[in-house]
């Protein structure tokens, strides 16, 4: 098959966007809405809530820490068979969970098996999308990731309806059937061969080069810091509002307001990321800084109007940073190394996501309120912004003469060896 010198920026790429939209919905929409099964599992197995909570936690951990496996397999075999296999595993895990007789069974079926399936789907799909787009990459990513928010609204009431009509075993069977659509999403991922691919080597060579790639390592640190504070409002905002004597229903509604703003922010930021000249890193730094400031201001707001305004601001800016965060990586490491780069990045940054909520809860226990929790969360994002400004070309007001993928193409055409440190190094 002929190799392209650069991404097509359209064509079949829009089908990849459609695949990524449904795939993100079927992975993270299910994960975000799985809490409706929580009460059913507690009652069915007569277990403590903390032990039941491990079902989703194991699934999330396996999905995040297994991302490099999905990336390595996609580098070797292409994303299509990997994502299709992941869809089968995700559906099989839910199917086996419907026959569960103990929590251990659910840990292994949903946590380990479905989690492994999710690990083989999300990262390869986003990496494949990044290879199809260059100028429109931020917009394409933003549109793809709106599937997470839309499915979060749809799946929670759907799962509740399934539980009321079919009980939890029947509901899990139907969620298994729903998850099987990931196979169709994988079938849409047509492989794209770029001129730079032979130069970057196999998964082992790519991993070794990324571990010595200064900008990539700094970017990984930045996103890990951002991830530590990013999810705090979704975990503790309702509890914070109840400390302010809000009723549970209005408090939950405020989280929905943030989620709606998140959707708008993803699309708007995707469009801006492609329209505004200069490195997209600057836009990511702007959204990260504004998200950190809005988080730190939450404890200062007491009036309902101020809290609604902050929820809108947080939702928009946190949603806006997501698509550009994925768009920065190909500029740093080149599209040839995007599979391994994205997998390694997601594995490391997940540490921040896993530690953020427990740290926030610990600060609440120590201080008696959520003031320190939100301030520290905002400080993590501001620290991440500080690391982002150290990336290459951040302070340049003219685009670099050669993009990373163009540097590889030039090396292949002229037989000039690539720089020893790798693409994008300082």
């Amino acid at each position: 098959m002929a190799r392209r010198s650069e991404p097509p920026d359209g064509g079949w790429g829009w089908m990849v966007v459609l695949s990524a939209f449904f795939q993100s919905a079927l992975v993270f929409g299910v994960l975000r809405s799985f809490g409706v099964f929580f009460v059913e599992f507690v009652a069915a197995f007569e277990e403590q809530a903390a032990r039941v909570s491990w079902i989703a936690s194991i699934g999330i951990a396996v999905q995040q820490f297994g991302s490099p496996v999905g990336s390595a397999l996609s580098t070797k075999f292409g994303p299509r068979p990997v994502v299709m296999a992941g869809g089968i595993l995700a559906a099989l895990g839910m199917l086996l969970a419907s026959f569960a007789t103990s929590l251990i069974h659910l840990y292994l079926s949903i946590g380990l098996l479905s989690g492994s399936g999710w690990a083989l789907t999300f990262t390869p799909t986003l990496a494949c999308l990044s290879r199809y787009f260059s100028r429109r990459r931020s917009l394409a990513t933003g549109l793809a990731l709106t599937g997470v928010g839309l499915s979060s609204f749809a799946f929670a009431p759907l799962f509740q309806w399934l539980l009321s009509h079919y009980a939890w075993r029947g509901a899990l069977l139907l969620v298994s059937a729903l998850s099987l659509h990931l196979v169709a999403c994988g079938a849409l991922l047509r492989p794209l061969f770029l001129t730079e691919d032979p130069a970057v080597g196999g998964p082992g060579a790519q991993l070794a080069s990324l571990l010595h790639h200064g900008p990539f390592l700094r970017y990984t640190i930045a996103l890990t810091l951002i991830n530590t504070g990013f999810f705090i409002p979704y975990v503790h905002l309702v509890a914070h509002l109840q400390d302010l004597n809000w009723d549970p229903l209005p408090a939950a509604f405020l989280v929905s307001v943030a989620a709606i703003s998140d959707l708008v922010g993803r699309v708007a930021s995707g469009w801006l990321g492609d329209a505004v000249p200069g490195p997209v890193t600057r836009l990511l730094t702007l959204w990260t800084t504004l998200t950190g400031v809005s988080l730190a201001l939450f404890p200062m707001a007491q009036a309902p109007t101020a809290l609604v305004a902050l929820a809108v601001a947080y939702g928009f800016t946190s949603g806006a940073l997501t698509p550009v965060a994925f768009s920065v990586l190909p500029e740093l490491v080149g599209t040839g190394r995007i599979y391994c780069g994205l997998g390694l990045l997601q594995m490391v940054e997940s540490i921040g996501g896993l530690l953020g909520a427990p740290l926030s809860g610990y600060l609440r226990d120590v201080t008696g309120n959520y003031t320190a929790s939100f301030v520290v969360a905002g400080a993590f994002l501001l620290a991440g912004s500080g690391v982002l400004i150290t990336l290459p070309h951040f302070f340049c007001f003219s685009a670099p003469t050669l993009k990373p993928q163009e540097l590889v193409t030039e090396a292949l055409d002229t037989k000039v060896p690539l720089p020893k440190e790798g693409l994008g190094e300082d």
Side-chain angles (χ1 to χ4, degrees), residues 8-26:
D9 257 317
W12 191 260
W14 295 115
M15 295 302 294
V16 177
V17 171
L18 182 66
S19 171
F21 173 88
F22 284 109
Q23 180 272 142
S24 63
L26 291 171

Side-chain angles (χ1 to χ4, degrees), residues 208-421:
S209 65
L210 289 171
L211 292 177
H212 295 86
H213 191 286
F216 171 76
L217 295 177
R218 295 199 297 275
Y219 188 61
T220 301
I221 292 171
L223 286 199
T224 302
L225 290 170
I226 292 169
N227 229 26
T228 304
F230 184 87
F231 296 102
I232 297 307
Y234 288 106
V235 179
H236 290 138
L237 180 57
V238 171
H240 171 62
L241 294 174
Q242 289 178 344
D243 284 350
L244 298 178
N245 298 318
W246 280 48
D247 291 331
L249 186 60
F253 174 75
L254 198 62
V255 176
S256 298
V257 169
I260 294 171
S261 301
D262 177 286
L263 286 175
V264 177
R266 289 173 190 241
V267 178
S269 176
W271 175 80
L272 281 174
D274 297 329
V276 176
V280 72
T281 313
R282 293 184 199 150
L283 197 58
L284 175 59
T285 305
L286 172 65
W287 298 134
T288 302
T289 302
L290 292 176
T291 304
V293 171
S294 65
L295 278 172
L297 289 177
F298 262 114
M300 319 302 175
Q302 301 291 325
T305 304
L307 286 166
V308 170
L310 280 176
V312 171
Y314 165 78
F316 184 90
T317 55
S318 63
L321 73 82
T322 304
V324 290
F326 286 106
S327 299
V328 168
L329 189 60
E331 294 186 359
L332 287 179
V333 303
T335 52
R337 292 190 288 186
I338 188 61
Y339 284 111
C340 281
L342 186 55
L344 185 59
L345 171 65
Q346 288 211 296
M347 183 187 74
V348 177
E349 73 170 343
S350 67
I351 297 172
L354 292 173
L355 295 180
L359 174 61
S360 177
Y362 170 76
L363 293 173
R364 165 66 173 82
D365 293 338
V366 171
T367 63
N369 57 55
Y370 283 99
T371 299
S373 301
F374 281 94
V375 171
V376 170
F380 273 112
L381 273 90
L382 294 177
S385 298
V387 178
L388 288 175
I389 66 175
T390 69
L391 296 179
H393 312 300
F394 186 90
F395 294 103
C396 295
F397 291 92
S398 59
T401 55
L402 287 177
K403 293 182 180 179
Q405 60 265 32
E406 294 170 333
L407 180 59
V408 177
T409 302
E410 182 183 78
L412 290 172
D413 292 340
T414 60
K415 308 301 182 185
V416 176
L418 292 174
K420 189 174 183 180
E421 295 79 12

